Amino acid sequence: MLPFVLSFACVAYVGFTTAHVTTAAPSLSVAFTNALPTRAALPPKQAWCPSEIFCVGELLQTVNIAHLYPDDKIFVDKPTSKPAQDVLENFQSISSSATYGEVVQFVENNFREEGLELEGLELANFKSDPAFLNNVTAPIVKAFAQTVHSYWKQLVRGTNTSTLCTGGSTGCESSLIPLNHTFVVPGGRFREQYYWDSFWIVEGLIESELYDIVNATLQNFMDELDNFGFIPNGGRTYYLNRSQPPLFIQMLWRYVIASGDRAILKRALPLAEKELKWWDANRSLQVRSVLNVTHKVYHYSASNSAPRPESYLTDFMTANLSDMDDTQKAALYAELASGAESGWDYTIRWFAPTADGSHDGIRSLKVRSTIPVDLNSILYRDHILLANLYGRDDPETASAHRQAAAALHAAILDLLWDPAKLAFYDYNLDTRSRNNLFSAANFYPLWSGIIPPELLSSSEKAFGHFSSLNLALNRYNGTFPSTFIVSGQQWDAPNAWPPHQYIILQALRALPSNVTSGALPTPPSGHSTFNLIPEGQLGLDEFQLPSQPLNGDEGIYSMSGRAADINKLNGTVLNGGNATDGEGWAKALERQLANRYIASAFCSWRATGGSIDGVLPRLSPEELNVTQSVNNTGNMFEKFSNVDIDSAGRGGEYTVQVNISLPCQPSDVERLNKAGFGWTNGVLLWVSSLYGGMLVEPECPNLLTRIGTVRLTKNRPHAVAQAVAQAPMRLLSGAVKGVETRVVL
């Protein structure tokens, strides 16, 4: 088999403003004089996206086929430098038989910096010592939380009216949806306001006592509900065919409870109703269960029959490097957009299995045919919280929402709950049955307040529902993965996402004390924590679980038996905090997961150059060289690896987001923004506030003793996919000009 080469190109960032706006210079791997390859037929235009520049059309396809940038999103985030008609006329002069160089020249002559319409703002009400810090007792953790708290100052944004495109015959054109109020961006390529990210950003802003920014965030979402009838995925026009998990009502609830500001409800309540009506009209359907009961439930289903503009080349290649006909391509494009609407883009959870249990990867997406546990749980909680917001002021409307919640409660328990496996699973419309794939979505119902009767009546069964968490904490170095399947997709193992750790902690807190006060169960002699999981819950045998690599090399711990629980300590787990007398099993798991989350964020930040003056010294250049971070000052990643707390997660359509850009020259480092990632920061501040008294200083692995290579041997072919996906990020991050990383299969 020929070597598989992972190549990384350096991207030159040459323009900076007060918003830390960067512009990526085109970087080609072919000669400028080479002609573009023959282009396939254009996909159909999309009614929801009429722009001839930033939506499906000859211009967008030509620029993407030239592949000027490592991320498709860069181009569609660039405003034009002249009126749209002039840009289109200029394009016509090169579009018939364009060379790569002509496309580069066209873009440079007709477009400006991506993100130019946004600007950084001052946080007028920022407090350097918010009250939540008093909850944190460990000095290092407290200093780290305070450092992360300060990152809001680098992530706050507003619309830059001086550079905003006005359109028409004289103004430039842009894909930006201008917002009237301040907001916080996630970071990295996500330079706009995003929908579901904002929930965890809001949690952090509340802990930071930045209530005015939370209010402004909600006002932006209300403006979008006024203008579009729903909240789009993010603040770009190319997102106007899809939403994201509907968490606006839950953000509103948190803000009102935390701030006491009920005046916002006069505007917010009618718009909350408007959002729920949109989901009802566009994403609901009727499903009959095996009990012969018909339920109204919800699914993700974006209207789309073309590549997503922000991932155009990725989608285009996915559809065209196959024997799909036009109808099949259109269906795949709809699935890709629907997967993006789910927030889980992408995961094996959405793949349709074939008769032999395999799948065709991303081309087998069946998002629209899935009734997701998480979406329906979120909507249940929306109705409950909206009823609470109405309260006594409008008892009739409150009652209607409680009835809608009750109907969803019944549907979720009927369609999605498996009382034998003690877990929730997505419902498959094609097979008219529950799927067998276990995921972190299992914990959304309890977070939302849906607790099956089996869990309320038995401590053993309540623990069984969380037994996979106990396994993950004992078996792996990090937190809880999205699934226990290594697929190469970013919402699968080994990736562990901050929102999921928050949701699992909240789910644990939802259980009553009468089923959580007992001690944490221990497996029988000679067995691992896998033995405590209800039969069939994970859908995997123990040997099929992802392994925990040792030293990033050949040493992989045993996959079964007591030795698999490599992190087990007396009464706790490594980086799980200290056990206390009389601690119930749920509190023990909360303590362990909270500490492990802090360790994942802290150790990966420190391994990439993080330090705190007078408190935490910087690692040595020799250590930082391992992570190629000699010139870096610490990264907060959007996702973590649950097998390597020194590194970020990996896989998916784009590189790991940290709100920085790897510089082409060391001298560029001082310009970079290390403040991301929004929801990572928000969850960290929430965890610090809620669990501060039980958090201890993390024990980070020694970088100098963990250097290795990914070696795949012929006698372990089953380990190929795992080893590639689990290879420490530092081994696959040769993103320096002229450097390429190779994994030989």
Side-chain angles (χ1 to χ4, degrees):
M1 184 179 294
L2 292 175
F4 171 60
V5 181
L6 300 177
S7 299
F8 302 83
C10 177
V11 181
Y13 288 83
V14 297
F16 294 81
T17 74
T18 57
H20 305 283
V21 173
T22 63
T23 181
S27 177
L28 295 178
S29 57
V30 299
F32 274 41
T33 54
N34 284 12
L36 290 179
T38 303
R39 279 156 276 176
L42 290 173
K45 287 189 174 294
Q46 307 297 296
W48 56 270
C49 194
S51 171
E52 294 185 68
I53 295 173
F54 299 111
C55 301
V56 173
E58 190 176 2
L59 190 155
L60 183 62
Q61 183 155 302
T62 298
V63 172
N64 273 276
I65 286 176
H67 194 37
L68 306 185
Y69 308 104
D71 183 350
D72 301 345
K73 190 176 185 294
I74 290 173
F75 174 69
V76 288
D77 288 359
K78 287 178 172 290
T80 65
S81 57
K82 54 197 66 173
Q85 191 57 44
D86 293 351
V87 174
L88 292 170
E89 289 175 0
N90 292 341
F91 173 71
Q92 289 303 317
S93 67
I94 62 106
S95 61
S96 57
S97 57
T99 64
Y100 284 92
E102 287 175 322
V103 177
V104 169
Q105 197 65 50
F106 164 73
V107 171
E108 291 185 338
N109 290 344
N110 291 274
F111 294 85
R112 296 185 293 170
E113 299 91 343
E114 60 273 18
L116 186 68
E117 318 97 307
L118 301 172
E119 62 181 347
L121 301 175
E122 294 292 327
L123 278 176
N125 296 320
F126 183 81
K127 300 177 182 179
S128 60
D129 293 293
F132 86 87
L133 289 172
N134 296 326
N135 301 340
V136 187
T137 54
I140 290 292
V141 178
K142 183 174 184 176
F144 180 50
Q146 188 170 28
T147 299
V148 173
H149 160 69
S150 73
Y151 287 163
W152 296 131
K153 293 187 289 185
Q154 299 179 54
L155 291 172
V156 65
R157 297 286 185 273
T159 301
N160 187 345
T161 55
S162 67
T163 58
L164 195 62
C165 288
T166 58
S169 59
T170 58
C172 59
E173 183 174 332
S174 167
S175 64
L176 184 75
I177 298 173
L179 299 178
N180 297 320
H181 308 276
T182 305
F183 56 95
V184 171
V185 297
R189 76 197 291 263
F190 304 114
R191 55 181 64 87
E192 314 81 18
Q193 178 169 286
Y194 279 79
Y195 188 3
W196 85 312
D197 293 68
S198 294
F199 175 86
W200 290 279
I201 290 173
V202 161
E203 285 285 14
L205 291 173
I206 287 173
E207 298 300 340
S208 294
E209 302 172 37
L210 291 168
Y211 302 116
D212 56 330
I213 307 301
V214 178
N215 184 296
T217 298
L218 293 170
Q219 296 294 341
N220 284 327
F221 287 140
M222 288 189 277
D223 289 346
E224 290 181 328
L225 284 165
D226 265 335
N227 294 331
F228 308 120
F230 75 107
I231 299 174
N233 183 148
R236 295 278 170 181
T237 56
Y238 50 70
Y239 290 138
L240 287 175
N241 68 329
R242 63 183 193 257
S243 187
Q244 271 193 324
L247 290 164
F248 167 72
I249 292 169
Q250 301 188 33
M251 286 184 259
L252 177 65
W253 167 262
R254 283 288 290 125
Y255 169 71
V256 170
I257 295 301
S259 69
D261 176 16
R262 294 189 63 86
I264 194 175
L265 296 179
K266 182 176 181 180
R267 184 187 187 201
L269 289 178
L271 292 171
E273 296 284 358
K274 191 173 187 177
E275 181 181 35
L276 290 180
K277 286 178 181 177
W278 183 89
W279 282 91
D280 212 44
N282 295 281
R283 299 293 188 266
S284 70
L285 39 76
Q286 303 288 324
V287 174
R288 185 177 295 274
S289 75
V290 294
L291 299 178
N292 203 32
V293 177
T294 299
H295 300 285
K296 180 170 72 173
V297 287
Y298 298 82
H299 66 150
Y300 297 109
S301 183
S303 175
N304 190 57
S305 58
R308 294 166 295 156
E310 79 281 8
S311 298
Y312 193 95
L313 185 61
T314 303
D315 289 0
F316 181 83
M317 297 297 285
T318 298
N320 283 278
L321 290 180
S322 66
D323 56 358
M324 288 183 169
D325 60 29
D326 289 345
T327 300
Q328 292 170 320
K329 290 177 184 177
L332 175 59
Y333 291 141
E335 295 293 344
L336 288 163
S338 300
E341 182 172 68
S342 77
W344 292 48
D345 45 342
Y346 296 96
T347 166
I348 196 172
R349 180 183 170 202
W350 307 134
F351 292 179
T354 57
D356 63 357
S358 63
H359 56 80
D360 190 26
I362 202 75
R363 295 184 185 88
S364 66
L365 283 172
K366 287 287 186 179
V367 184
R368 296 177 298 166
S369 299
T370 302
I371 305 301
V373 172
D374 39 355
L375 173 60
N376 286 276
S377 300
I378 287 170
L379 284 164
Y380 164 83
R381 191 163 188 257
D382 285 346
H383 283 291
I384 290 293
L385 296 182
L386 195 52
N388 292 342
L389 287 171
Y390 280 111
R392 297 176 182 175
D393 295 337
D394 190 343
E396 184 177 347
T397 303
S399 176
H401 281 291
R402 291 194 177 95
Q403 291 175 26
L408 265 175
H409 188 284
I412 289 168
L413 291 182
D414 188 2
L415 295 171
L416 310 178
W417 171 246
D418 190 317
K421 297 178 182 177
L422 299 176
F424 291 94
Y425 301 89
D426 300 323
Y427 185 87
N428 189 317
L429 293 172
D430 293 334
T431 64
R432 300 182 64 184
S433 63
R434 282 189 293 271
N435 289 334
N436 294 318
L437 192 137
F438 181 87
S439 76
N442 171 64
F443 301 107
Y444 279 68
L446 267 70
W447 168 44
S448 299
I450 302 170
I451 307 177
E454 292 83 0
L455 307 190
L456 292 172
S457 61
S458 167
S459 178
E460 180 183 358
K461 291 183 177 180
F463 171 78
H465 185 68
F466 288 94
S467 56
S468 59
L469 171 62
N470 185 50
L471 175 143
L473 293 168
N474 280 272
R475 195 179 193 98
Y476 303 111
N477 292 346
T479 54
F480 196 86
S482 298
T483 71
F484 286 95
I485 305 290
V486 177
S487 70
Q489 298 301 324
Q490 66 170 347
W491 287 86
D492 289 320
N495 288 350
W497 293 79
H500 288 163
Q501 315 318 310
Y502 168 96
I503 287 166
I504 295 169
L505 288 167
Q506 291 282 39
L508 283 164
R509 292 164 57 82
L511 286 172
S513 59
N514 66 299
V515 295
T516 62
S517 57
L520 195 63
T522 57
S525 178
H527 292 275
S528 73
T529 47
F530 181 84
N531 190 259
L532 299 174
I533 295 177
E535 184 176 358
Q537 186 184 87
L538 299 186
L540 300 168
D541 292 325
E542 186 173 6
F543 75 89
Q544 294 176 300
L545 290 171
S547 56
Q548 171 63 60
L550 170 64
N551 292 342
D553 205 341
E554 281 277 11
I556 296 180
Y557 286 101
S558 60
M559 293 186 176
S560 61
R562 185 177 179 181
D565 292 336
I566 63 168
N567 288 304
K568 184 176 179 61
L569 300 175
N570 185 23
T572 187
V573 294
L574 182 65
N575 277 320
N578 300 317
T580 57
D581 292 338
E583 184 179 48
W585 66 263
K587 289 299 180 185
L589 290 179
E590 283 185 65
R591 166 182 51 77
Q592 292 173 15
L593 181 57
N595 273 278
R596 192 68 69 79
Y597 180 77
I598 295 294
S600 293
F602 175 84
C603 292
S604 56
W605 169 82
R606 194 173 191 216
T608 51
S611 64
I612 304 172
D613 290 344
V615 178
L616 183 71
R618 183 175 169 84
L619 293 178
S620 69
E622 185 182 12
E623 291 170 296
L624 294 176
N625 189 54
V626 175
T627 59
Q628 299 183 0
S629 301
V630 173
N631 297 309
N632 204 1
T633 59
N635 300 337
M636 294 293 289
F637 294 106
E638 66 167 342
K639 56 183 178 280
F640 302 110
S641 166
N642 86 317
V643 297
D644 183 4
I645 63 171
D646 276 342
S647 76
R650 66 234 23 159
E653 297 184 294
Y654 52 83
T655 56
V656 178
Q657 298 301 297
V658 296
N659 205 37
I660 71 159
S661 304
L662 186 70
C664 291
Q665 300 295 333
S667 59
D668 290 333
V669 172
E670 62 188 15
R671 308 179 186 179
L672 301 182
N673 180 5
K674 312 295 192 301
F677 194 79
W679 64 19
T680 306
N681 302 354
V683 173
L684 187 134
L685 300 183
W686 178 84
V687 167
S688 298
S689 175
L690 211 63
Y691 297 98
M694 60 181 69
L695 299 176
V696 301
E697 181 178 344
E699 295 181 38
C700 300
N702 187 326
L703 291 172
L704 297 181
T705 63
R706 306 182 74 242
I707 304 172
T709 58
V710 182
R711 290 192 224 147
L712 310 176
T713 59
K714 292 181 180 178
N715 64 340
R716 290 221 324 275
H718 64 279
V720 170
Q722 285 188 9
V724 171
Q726 294 176 348
M729 190 66 186
R730 56 183 170 272
L731 300 178
L732 301 180
S733 60
V736 180
K737 196 166 187 176
V739 175
E740 119 186 321
T741 302
R742 296 175 181 266
V743 177
V744 182
L745 305 184

